[in-house]
Short mmCIF file of all heavy atoms in Angstrom, two decimals:
data_model
loop_
_atom_site.label_atom_id
_atom_site.label_comp_id
_atom_site.label_asym_id
_atom_site.label_seq_id
_atom_site.Cartn_x
_atom_site.Cartn_y
_atom_site.Cartn_z
N GLU E 64 -1.93 -2.42 1.25
CA GLU E 64 -0.98 -1.74 0.40
C GLU E 64 0.07 -2.75 -0.04
O GLU E 64 0.09 -3.90 0.38
CB GLU E 64 -0.35 -0.55 1.12
CG GLU E 64 0.51 -0.90 2.31
CD GLU E 64 1.12 0.34 2.94
OE1 GLU E 64 1.89 1.02 2.27
OE2 GLU E 64 0.79 0.62 4.11
N TYR E 65 0.97 -2.32 -0.88
CA TYR E 65 1.92 -3.20 -1.54
C TYR E 65 2.79 -3.95 -0.53
O TYR E 65 3.48 -3.35 0.29
CB TYR E 65 2.82 -2.38 -2.46
CG TYR E 65 3.63 -3.20 -3.42
CD1 TYR E 65 3.04 -3.76 -4.53
CD2 TYR E 65 4.99 -3.41 -3.20
CE1 TYR E 65 3.78 -4.51 -5.42
CE2 TYR E 65 5.74 -4.15 -4.09
CZ TYR E 65 5.13 -4.70 -5.19
OH TYR E 65 5.87 -5.44 -6.08
N VAL E 66 2.73 -5.29 -0.58
CA VAL E 66 3.51 -6.14 0.32
C VAL E 66 4.00 -7.35 -0.48
O VAL E 66 3.52 -7.63 -1.58
CB VAL E 66 2.69 -6.62 1.53
CG1 VAL E 66 2.31 -5.47 2.44
CG2 VAL E 66 1.44 -7.38 1.07
N TYR E 67 4.95 -8.07 0.07
CA TYR E 67 5.42 -9.31 -0.53
C TYR E 67 4.68 -10.48 0.12
O TYR E 67 4.64 -10.62 1.33
CB TYR E 67 6.92 -9.49 -0.34
CG TYR E 67 7.74 -8.58 -1.20
CD1 TYR E 67 8.43 -7.50 -0.65
CD2 TYR E 67 7.83 -8.79 -2.57
CE1 TYR E 67 9.19 -6.66 -1.43
CE2 TYR E 67 8.60 -7.96 -3.38
CZ TYR E 67 9.28 -6.90 -2.80
OH TYR E 67 10.02 -6.07 -3.59
N VAL E 68 4.11 -11.34 -0.73
CA VAL E 68 3.43 -12.54 -0.25
C VAL E 68 3.91 -13.70 -1.10
O VAL E 68 3.67 -13.73 -2.31
CB VAL E 68 1.89 -12.40 -0.35
CG1 VAL E 68 1.22 -13.70 0.09
CG2 VAL E 68 1.40 -11.23 0.48
N GLY E 69 4.59 -14.65 -0.49
CA GLY E 69 5.06 -15.81 -1.23
C GLY E 69 5.99 -15.46 -2.37
O GLY E 69 6.00 -16.13 -3.41
N GLY E 70 6.78 -14.40 -2.19
CA GLY E 70 7.73 -14.00 -3.22
C GLY E 70 7.15 -13.12 -4.30
O GLY E 70 7.86 -12.70 -5.21
N LEU E 71 5.84 -12.84 -4.24
CA LEU E 71 5.19 -11.97 -5.22
C LEU E 71 4.73 -10.68 -4.56
O LEU E 71 4.35 -10.67 -3.39
CB LEU E 71 3.99 -12.66 -5.86
CG LEU E 71 4.27 -13.83 -6.80
CD1 LEU E 71 2.96 -14.47 -7.25
CD2 LEU E 71 5.08 -13.38 -8.01
N GLY E 72 4.75 -9.61 -5.32
CA GLY E 72 4.23 -8.35 -4.83
C GLY E 72 2.72 -8.34 -4.91
O GLY E 72 2.15 -8.73 -5.92
N VAL E 73 2.07 -7.92 -3.85
CA VAL E 73 0.61 -7.89 -3.81
C VAL E 73 0.15 -6.53 -3.32
O VAL E 73 0.67 -6.00 -2.33
CB VAL E 73 0.05 -8.98 -2.87
CG1 VAL E 73 -1.46 -8.88 -2.77
CG2 VAL E 73 0.46 -10.36 -3.37
N GLY E 74 -0.83 -5.95 -4.00
CA GLY E 74 -1.45 -4.72 -3.52
C GLY E 74 -0.98 -3.49 -4.26
O GLY E 74 -0.15 -3.54 -5.16
N ALA E 75 -1.54 -2.35 -3.89
CA ALA E 75 -1.24 -1.08 -4.54
C ALA E 75 -0.20 -0.31 -3.74
O ALA E 75 -0.13 -0.43 -2.52
CB ALA E 75 -2.50 -0.24 -4.67
N TYR E 76 0.61 0.47 -4.42
CA TYR E 76 1.56 1.33 -3.74
C TYR E 76 0.83 2.48 -3.06
O TYR E 76 -0.08 3.08 -3.63
CB TYR E 76 2.58 1.91 -4.73
CG TYR E 76 3.59 0.94 -5.23
CD1 TYR E 76 3.49 0.42 -6.51
CD2 TYR E 76 4.66 0.54 -4.44
CE1 TYR E 76 4.42 -0.47 -7.00
CE2 TYR E 76 5.59 -0.35 -4.91
CZ TYR E 76 5.49 -0.86 -6.20
OH TYR E 76 6.41 -1.74 -6.66
N SER E 77 1.25 2.81 -1.86
CA SER E 77 0.79 4.04 -1.23
C SER E 77 1.59 5.21 -1.77
O SER E 77 2.78 5.07 -2.05
CB SER E 77 0.97 3.96 0.30
OG SER E 77 0.13 2.98 0.85
N VAL E 78 0.95 6.34 -1.93
CA VAL E 78 1.64 7.52 -2.42
C VAL E 78 2.41 8.15 -1.26
O VAL E 78 1.81 8.48 -0.24
CB VAL E 78 0.66 8.55 -3.02
CG1 VAL E 78 1.40 9.81 -3.43
CG2 VAL E 78 -0.08 7.93 -4.20
N PRO E 79 3.72 8.31 -1.38
CA PRO E 79 4.51 8.88 -0.28
C PRO E 79 4.00 10.27 0.10
O PRO E 79 3.59 11.06 -0.75
CB PRO E 79 5.93 8.96 -0.86
CG PRO E 79 5.95 7.94 -1.95
CD PRO E 79 4.57 7.94 -2.53
N GLY E 80 4.01 10.53 1.40
CA GLY E 80 3.62 11.85 1.86
C GLY E 80 2.13 12.08 1.97
O GLY E 80 1.68 13.20 2.21
N THR E 81 1.33 11.01 1.78
CA THR E 81 -0.11 11.15 1.92
C THR E 81 -0.59 10.22 3.03
O THR E 81 0.05 9.23 3.37
CB THR E 81 -0.85 10.80 0.62
OG1 THR E 81 -0.63 9.41 0.30
CG2 THR E 81 -0.37 11.66 -0.52
N SER E 82 -1.75 10.54 3.59
CA SER E 82 -2.29 9.75 4.70
C SER E 82 -3.00 8.51 4.17
O SER E 82 -3.81 8.58 3.25
CB SER E 82 -3.29 10.60 5.50
OG SER E 82 -3.93 9.81 6.47
N ASN E 83 -2.67 7.37 4.75
CA ASN E 83 -3.34 6.12 4.40
C ASN E 83 -3.73 5.34 5.64
O ASN E 83 -3.68 4.12 5.65
CB ASN E 83 -2.44 5.26 3.51
CG ASN E 83 -2.35 5.80 2.09
OD1 ASN E 83 -3.35 5.88 1.39
ND2 ASN E 83 -1.16 6.18 1.68
N ASN E 84 -4.08 6.07 6.69
CA ASN E 84 -4.35 5.41 7.97
C ASN E 84 -5.84 5.24 8.24
O ASN E 84 -6.25 5.00 9.36
CB ASN E 84 -3.69 6.18 9.11
CG ASN E 84 -4.12 7.64 9.17
OD1 ASN E 84 -4.99 8.05 8.40
ND2 ASN E 84 -3.52 8.41 10.05
N SER E 85 -6.67 5.40 7.21
CA SER E 85 -8.10 5.18 7.38
C SER E 85 -8.68 4.74 6.05
O SER E 85 -8.02 4.79 5.02
CB SER E 85 -8.79 6.46 7.86
OG SER E 85 -8.78 7.45 6.84
N ASN E 86 -9.94 4.32 6.09
CA ASN E 86 -10.59 3.87 4.85
C ASN E 86 -10.85 5.01 3.89
O ASN E 86 -10.98 4.80 2.69
CB ASN E 86 -11.91 3.18 5.17
CG ASN E 86 -11.70 1.86 5.86
OD1 ASN E 86 -10.57 1.35 5.95
ND2 ASN E 86 -12.77 1.28 6.37
N ASN E 87 -10.95 6.23 4.41
CA ASN E 87 -11.19 7.39 3.56
C ASN E 87 -10.27 8.52 4.00
O ASN E 87 -10.70 9.44 4.70
CB ASN E 87 -12.66 7.81 3.65
CG ASN E 87 -13.02 8.86 2.61
OD1 ASN E 87 -12.25 9.13 1.69
ND2 ASN E 87 -14.19 9.46 2.76
N PRO E 88 -9.00 8.47 3.59
CA PRO E 88 -8.00 9.39 4.12
C PRO E 88 -8.09 10.81 3.58
O PRO E 88 -7.45 11.71 4.11
CB PRO E 88 -6.68 8.74 3.70
CG PRO E 88 -7.02 7.97 2.47
CD PRO E 88 -8.42 7.47 2.68
#
């Protein structure tokens, strides 16, 4: 999910209030 790497944003935003703790939530 969206993180900072070397000063750049990398990845997709997680939707607040939804489960993202597995490969198929």
Side-chain angles (χ1 to χ4, degrees):
E64 65 179 297
Y65 193 76
V66 294
Y67 286 108
V68 177
L71 290 175
V73 176
Y76 287 104
S77 293
V78 176
T81 63
S82 173
N83 286 299
N84 56 5
S85 68
N86 291 350
N87 189 12

